[in-house]
């Protein structure tokens, strides 16, 4: 039932019924993490609460993906995507993340809600080289321009397949 | 009460210390026991306060969840035992509930925009939650199919509408066509009747003509016979004339003999010679007269012959004309007969055309009723229906029982007088439309 960290720098695999849930405030600081999150990532509650969510961000993740994520959330949309995260002991785990805005009773956005599920292993095989390519592009450009160029590459790729980003990741996950 | 007892009990070691102090029996052991007691009491009270705080924040989270805000959680509950476990149980329940509701909400926001690509993600949710989301995905699929079916339906309905409209127009034209055919047929009937009359009159005149001709033929035959009699009579006259000629010749011979004898007798016979000469002259005159009569009779005979020829050719001619007239008579008789037959047929055609017009009118009426029903079913606002309903009520009286029942049903349905379900309506319409 529990996902066991194998060793340092090794991958932690999620179980099919694992549901990693966390919440952040509007600035991306963690306000809640469930026990699955703590178990998989290897952090205690006190290590996570009030810390920025990019605490667990893995360097293999292109910045462009997060820029796209925040743009989507700002427009009130939900975001789907494959994300590689750090564990506390330097290992990593892949998730299929769904992030949505949280509304209070008055309908104002008061934070974000993130649910991460076990990703389709075949999807990771497809998305990993894409992220690598995006990282290479980002490294070739200045930090200010990096995201713009890596996202342009992603959009070009999707246009070639004549598919939207969301359809693309959903199809990968359900394949 | 419990609170007062608790305070009294907690004050007990303190008061024991004071009493021992007053009685000067104070000992270090006693102080140690009292200190341990108060330290444990403090630890217990602190822990109790944290439990209370955890439970209070848990209560707060549950109350907010009950008021519809599912995103609150109880945090900082580490090492608070049962209360902490309870907080996690509540948090995890809320995680599932919130994830469930988010999935449902986000799906349906898209479904409302007719985007069916976002299915509810049941992965990771336990038992009823994931089952329910799977059912919702199936329902969304059904909505999608239903929508495409509805679109299809709306398309076929539009085509059906166009068809119905053109059908009604076509029927209307057919009706007016048949009506003009009816008018034309009435003209044909009139012409046939007139023909029959003319044929009747013509055949009467021909009969009269034929009778007249027969009479004249008979008269010609009579004339022919009379001419033959005349010819026979003139033969007899010829014979008589030849006889007179012979007698005149013999008389002449006699007169010659008498004059010879008179000459022989000389003077005595001179007177006789004069008589003989006179007889001779008389016989010559007789002979001349007979010859004249013969010649007159010859020309008379020629006239009679030409009359005979004329009468015989006119008799043949009148026979031919009579035959031709008989042919004519037959022709006019058959014309009269065929005119009468035409008239009969035309009457039959008029009957057929009448029933065709009636049938077409019924079909048009039924189409109008169906169109009215369709309008009522497909449109909630039917402002013009009242007027159309009145027209139908008026028109229904012209038609058969089935049409009247159809109109009654339509009026009841449109006016919502009878609460008929769609299926019942279709059932009734089917029964009304069945051929008797």
């Amino acid at each position: 039932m529990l996902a066991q960290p194998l060793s340092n720098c090794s991958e932690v695999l999620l179980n099919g019924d694992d549901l990693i849930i966390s919440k952040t405030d509007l600035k991306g600081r963690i306000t809640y993490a469930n026990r699955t999150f703590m178990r998989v990532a290897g952090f205690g509650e006190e290590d996570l609460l009030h810390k920025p969510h990019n605490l667990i961000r893995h360097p293999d993740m292109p910045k462009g993906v997060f820029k796209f994520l925040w743009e989507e959330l700002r427009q009130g949309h939900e975001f789907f995507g494959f994300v590689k995260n750090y564990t506390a002991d330097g290992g990593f785990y892949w998730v299929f993340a769904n992030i949505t805005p949280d509304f209070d009773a008055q309908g104002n956005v008061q934070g974000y809600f993130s649910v991460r599920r076990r990703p389709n292993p075949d999807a990771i095989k497809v998305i990993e080289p894409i992220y690598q390519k995006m990282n290479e592009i980002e490294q070739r450009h200045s930090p200010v321009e990096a995201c713009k160029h890596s996202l342009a590459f992603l959009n070009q790729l999707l246009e070639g397949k004549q598919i939207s980003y969301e359809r693309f990741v959903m199809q990968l996950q359900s394949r | 009460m419990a609170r007062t007892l608790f305070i009294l009990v907690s004050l007990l070691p303190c008061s024991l210390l004071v009493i021992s102090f007053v009685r000067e029996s104070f000992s270090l052991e006693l102080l140690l026991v009292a200190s341990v007691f108060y330290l444990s009491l403090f630890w217990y009270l602190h822990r109790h306060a944290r439990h209370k705080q955890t439970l209070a924040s848990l209560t707060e989270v549950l109350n907010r969840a009950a008021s519809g805000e599912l995103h609150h959680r109880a945090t900082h509950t580490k090492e608070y035992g049962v209360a902490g476990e309870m907080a996690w149980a509540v948090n995890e329940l809320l995680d599932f509930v919130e994830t469930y509701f988010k999935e449902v909400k986000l799906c349906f926001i898209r479904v409302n925009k007719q985007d069916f690509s976002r299915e509810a993600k049941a992965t990771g949710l336990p038992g009823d939650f994931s089952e329910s989301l799977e059912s919702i995905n199936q329902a969304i699929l059904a909505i999608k199919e239903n929508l495409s079916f509805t679109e299809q339906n709306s398309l076929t309905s539009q085509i059906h509408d166009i068809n119905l409209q053109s059908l009604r127009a076509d029927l209307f034209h057919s009706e007016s066509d048949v009506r003009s055919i009816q008018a034309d047929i009435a003209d044909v009937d009139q012409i046939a009747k007139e023909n029959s009359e003319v044929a009747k009159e013509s055949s009467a005149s021909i009969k009269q003509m034929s009778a007249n001709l027969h009479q004249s033929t008979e008269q010609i035959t009579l004339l022919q016979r009379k001419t033959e009699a005349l010819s026979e009579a003139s033969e007899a006259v010829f014979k008589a004339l030849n006889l007179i000629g012979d007698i005149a010749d013999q008389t002449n011979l006699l007169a010659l003999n008498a004059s010879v004898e008179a000459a022989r007798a000389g003077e005595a016979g001179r007177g006789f010679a004069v008589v003989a000469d006179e007889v001779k002259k008389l016989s010559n005159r007789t002979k001349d007269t007979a010859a004249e009569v013969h010649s007159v009779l010859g020309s008379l005979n020629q006239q009679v012959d030409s009359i005979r020829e004329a009468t015989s050719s006119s008799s043949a001619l009148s026979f031919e004309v009579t035959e031709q007239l008989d042919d004519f008579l037959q022709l006019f008789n058959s014309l009269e007969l065929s005119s009468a037959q035409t008239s009969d047929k035309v009457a039959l055609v008029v009957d057929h055309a009448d029933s065709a017009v009636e049938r077409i009118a019924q079909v048009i009426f039924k189409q109008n009723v169906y169109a009215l029903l369709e309008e009522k079913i497909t449109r909630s606002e039917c402002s013009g229906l009242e007027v159309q309903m009145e027209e139908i009520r008026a028109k229904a009286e012209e038609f058969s029982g089935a049409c009247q029942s159809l109109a009654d049903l339509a009026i009841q349905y449109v006016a919502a007088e009878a609460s008929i379900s769609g299926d019942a309506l279709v059932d009734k319409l089917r029964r009304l439309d069945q051929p008797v």
Side-chain angles (χ1 to χ4, degrees):
Chain A
M1 193 193 83
L2 289 179
Q4 297 295 329
L6 298 174
S7 66
N8 278 1
C9 299
S10 62
E11 181 171 7
V12 181
L13 291 168
L14 269 66
N15 292 315
D17 56 358
D18 278 341
L19 206 60
I20 296 178
I21 290 175
S22 64
K23 288 166 168 289
T24 69
D25 60 15
L26 288 172
K27 289 178 178 165
R29 280 187 302 250
I30 297 169
T31 53
Y32 172 72
N34 75 345
R35 287 195 286 192
T36 311
F37 187 5
M38 295 178 208
R39 189 191 71 227
V40 172
F43 287 103
E45 194 182 29
E46 66 283 0
D47 302 324
L48 295 171
L49 289 179
H50 311 301
K51 302 278 167 46
H53 212 288
N54 59 20
L55 176 78
I56 56 164
R57 186 184 288 189
H58 198 281
D60 286 354
M61 283 303 293
K63 293 184 186 70
V65 172
F66 292 100
K67 184 174 159 50
F68 175 71
L69 183 166
W70 281 107
E71 273 170 11
E72 287 293 295
L73 291 181
R74 251 193 293 280
Q75 288 173 51
H77 299 158
E78 61 176 327
F79 168 85
F80 282 100
F82 296 96
V83 181
K84 189 177 187 179
N85 285 324
Y86 255 142
T87 61
D89 57 1
F92 68 92
Y93 60 99
W94 276 99
V95 293
F96 181 60
N98 173 217
I99 304 167
T100 53
D102 248 349
F103 298 95
D104 63 15
Q106 282 75 45
N108 302 312
V109 178
Q110 55 88 43
Y112 300 101
F113 180 72
S114 167
V115 181
R116 274 96 76 194
R117 297 174 171 88
R118 182 171 73 166
N120 184 336
D122 293 336
I124 301 305
K125 283 179 200 153
V126 176
I127 209 80
E128 226 175 350
I130 295 174
Y131 284 174
Q132 268 172 20
K133 183 81 189 161
M134 285 174 79
N135 274 329
E136 281 168 31
I137 292 168
E138 284 176 8
Q139 275 156 22
R140 282 207 302 270
H141 293 88
S142 66
V144 186
E145 295 275 283
C147 290
K148 197 176 85 182
H149 286 97
S150 65
L151 280 177
F153 162 76
L154 182 64
N155 283 331
Q156 207 179 355
L157 188 94
L158 295 170
E159 268 171 35
K161 292 177 191 289
Q162 290 195 321
I163 195 169
S164 72
Y165 168 80
E166 192 183 89
R167 285 305 305 153
F168 178 60
V169 293
M170 280 203 193
Q171 275 180 10
L172 282 179
Q173 174 67 0
S174 62
R175 209 153 57 158
Chain B
M1 186 65 190
R3 201 178 173 83
T4 321
L5 198 67
F6 177 80
I7 291 167
L8 285 175
V9 170
S10 60
L11 284 175
L12 207 63
C14 184
S15 35
L16 276 176
L17 267 181
V18 172
I19 290 165
S20 66
F21 226 44
V22 171
R23 288 195 179 169
E24 290 178 358
S25 63
F26 175 75
S27 71
L28 216 61
E29 289 85 353
L30 196 64
L31 182 67
L32 201 67
V33 168
S35 306
V36 167
F37 175 80
Y38 277 111
L39 274 174
S40 338
L41 188 67
F42 176 75
W43 178 81
Y44 171 77
L45 283 177
H46 176 72
R47 202 176 156 74
H48 180 71
R50 281 310 307 248
H51 274 181
K52 267 183 87 175
Q53 201 184 332
T54 304
L55 287 174
S57 78
L58 206 54
T59 309
E60 170 75 8
V61 165
L62 284 171
N63 282 338
R64 291 214 180 185
S67 74
E69 286 188 11
L70 294 173
H71 57 259
H72 299 281
R73 299 288 186 275
T75 51
H76 299 100
T77 56
K78 206 182 169 191
E79 294 166 11
Y80 291 113
V82 182
E85 281 301 313
M86 229 167 101
W88 275 119
V90 168
N91 282 346
E92 268 158 23
L93 174 66
L94 284 173
D95 284 349
F96 293 143
V97 173
E98 190 178 2
T99 307
Y100 173 85
F101 279 110
K102 283 223 167 192
E103 287 296 317
V104 172
K105 183 180 158 190
L106 290 166
C107 272
F108 278 100
I109 284 174
R110 305 241 195 148
V111 167
N112 283 339
K113 292 174 187 161
Q114 298 196 359
D115 170 7
F116 300 98
S117 62
R118 192 343 181 159
E119 59 170 17
K121 304 246 172 284
T123 320
L125 287 175
D128 285 349
F129 290 105
S130 80
E131 271 174 34
S132 169
L133 287 183
E134 296 291 359
S135 309
I136 283 171
N137 282 338
Q138 280 172 11
I140 288 171
L141 216 62
I143 291 171
K144 184 182 173 185
E145 278 168 11
N146 201 30
L147 188 78
S148 84
F149 178 71
T150 309
E151 276 168 359
Q152 252 177 19
N153 219 10
S154 139
L155 187 67
T156 53
S157 161
Q158 278 170 26
I159 291 168
H160 172 74
D161 270 356
I162 294 165
N163 179 33
L164 198 68
Q165 276 167 19
S166 69
L167 176 70
R168 278 152 75 189
D170 287 350
L171 279 172
F172 189 72
H173 283 141
S174 298
E175 193 196 13
S176 74
D177 283 353
V178 175
R179 280 194 198 282
S180 69
I181 288 172
Q182 257 185 320
D184 291 348
I185 285 173
D187 286 351
V188 171
D189 187 37
Q190 187 58 37
I191 290 165
K193 281 193 173 124
E194 278 169 12
N195 275 353
S196 172
E197 278 306 306
V198 170
K200 257 185 206 164
E201 281 168 17
S202 302
S203 91
S205 335
I206 284 171
K207 269 181 194 156
Q208 185 61 46
M209 230 151 94
S210 176
N212 290 348
L213 201 62
H214 271 295
Q215 215 178 348
S216 91
T217 310
E218 270 168 27
Q219 277 171 353
I220 287 168
T221 313
L222 203 65
L223 188 66
Q224 242 174 340
R225 251 182 258 139
K226 284 190 174 164
T227 321
E228 268 161 26
L230 195 62
S231 185
E232 276 166 25
S234 81
E235 276 306 304
V237 171
F238 265 125
K239 274 179 193 163
L241 278 178
N242 284 339
L243 195 63
I244 289 168
D246 286 350
I247 291 168
D249 282 346
Q250 278 178 2
T251 307
N252 199 8
L253 203 61
L254 272 175
L256 191 65
N257 281 335
S259 63
V260 170
E261 285 303 321
R264 246 187 328 177
E267 215 42 50
R270 199 161 290 189
F272 198 66
V274 174
V275 174
D277 201 36
E278 283 302 314
V279 168
K280 194 181 160 187
K281 282 181 189 168
L282 197 64
S283 76
N284 279 339
R285 272 178 63 195
T286 305
K287 201 174 175 181
D288 287 345
T289 306
E292 268 174 38
V293 171
H294 194 273
S295 130
V296 170
L297 204 63
S299 79
L300 184 73
N301 257 359
Q302 270 181 348
Q303 296 288 329
V304 168
D305 277 346
S306 65
I307 288 174
R308 196 168 44 213
E309 270 171 31
T311 53
S312 96
S313 72
S314 91
S315 167
L317 195 66
S318 83
F319 184 70
E320 263 177 46
V321 171
T322 309
E323 275 190 338
Q324 280 171 351
L325 276 181
D326 281 348
D327 285 350
F328 262 128
L329 195 62
Q330 262 180 338
L331 275 174
F332 276 109
N333 277 342
S334 61
L335 179 63
E336 193 189 330
L337 192 69
S338 73
S339 292
Q341 280 173 346
T342 304
S343 197
D344 286 351
K345 290 270 180 206
V346 163
L348 213 64
V349 171
V350 167
D351 274 358
H352 284 317
D354 275 346
S355 59
V357 166
E358 199 181 328
R359 264 202 301 274
I360 291 173
Q362 282 192 20
V363 171
I364 292 174
F365 174 78
K366 281 185 179 179
Q367 290 300 326
N368 285 338
V369 173
Y370 284 132
L372 191 72
L373 282 174
E374 237 181 68
E375 206 176 341
K376 168 72 184 169
I377 291 162
T378 52
R379 278 176 30 192
S380 50
E381 258 178 56
C382 313
S383 50
L385 282 188
E386 302 273 318
V387 182
Q388 292 180 31
M389 235 165 57
E390 271 314 305
E391 280 173 15
I392 282 203
R393 204 191 291 275
K395 192 102 180 162
E397 283 163 19
E398 293 176 20
F399 295 114
S400 65
C403 282
Q404 283 176 22
S405 320
L406 185 64
D408 287 345
L409 187 64
I411 287 162
Q412 278 178 10
Y413 187 78
V414 170
E417 284 169 9
S419 51
I420 313 169
S421 72
D423 286 347
L425 178 71
V426 170
D427 192 42
K428 284 186 177 182
L429 288 174
R430 280 226 175 93
R431 259 185 279 151
L432 278 175
D433 241 359
Q434 258 166 15
V436 183

